[in-house]
Amino acid sequence: MGGGVKSHYIKIDIWFSACKPIIEEFPELIIFYNKTSRVDLIIIGISVDGPIMLPSWNAAIRKYHLPGSIYLILNTAFVLQVKD
């Protein structure tokens, strides 16, 4: 078999920068990420903020130092990857 995913688990975290309950979960996500081996876990963050919320989305990433690969769904044809 080829390359593929090497981790045992993949956590897909779907979020919106203006959703208070989701934002309140970020510290737990970071603790979980820091306690887990990179061999065992990959985190993929997918934001549904959309293009109008781009400043808020960027601010949340900077403020909370979100782990993993983070993507922003801009529309049905384009996804922006901010970091890997």
Side-chain angles (χ1 to χ4, degrees), residues 33 43 57 61 65-71 80-84:
Y33 180 77
I43 294 179
W57 177 74
I61 292 167
H65 307 284
L66 299 176
S69 298
I70 302 174
Y71 299 86
L80 173 68
Q81 179 179 5
V82 68
K83 73 178 192 104
D84 187 24

Side-chain angles (χ1 to χ4, degrees), residues 3 17 19 22 24 26-27 34 38 40 44-45 50 55 64 67 69 72 76:
S17 64
C19 181
I22 291 173
E24 289 173 349
F26 283 166
N34 289 333
R38 299 308 152 256
D40 292 332
I44 299 171
Y64 298 103
S69 298
L72 171 65
T76 58

Side-chain angles (χ1 to χ4, degrees), residues 2 4-5 8 15 29 36-37 43 48-49 52 55 63 68 72 83:
V5 175
H8 295 117
W15 60 282
L29 175 67
T36 308
S37 160
I43 294 179
V48 294
D49 280 293
I52 200 160
K63 181 176 181 179
L72 171 65
K83 73 178 192 104

Side-chain angles (χ1 to χ4, degrees), residues 1-59:
M1 297 215 153
V5 175
K6 305 253 190 280
S7 293
H8 295 117
Y9 301 98
I10 298 173
K11 177 173 184 358
I12 299 174
D13 189 52
I14 299 173
W15 60 282
F16 175 64
S17 64
C19 181
K20 187 176 178 180
I22 291 173
I23 298 297
E24 289 173 349
E25 292 178 359
F26 283 166
E28 284 184 43
L29 175 67
I30 293 166
I31 290 168
F32 176 66
Y33 180 77
N34 289 333
K35 285 183 174 181
T36 308
S37 160
R38 299 308 152 256
V39 173
D40 292 332
L41 175 71
I42 292 174
I43 294 179
I44 299 171
I46 300 174
S47 171
V48 294
D49 280 293
I52 200 160
M53 296 292 291
L54 194 57
S56 177
W57 177 74
N58 277 317

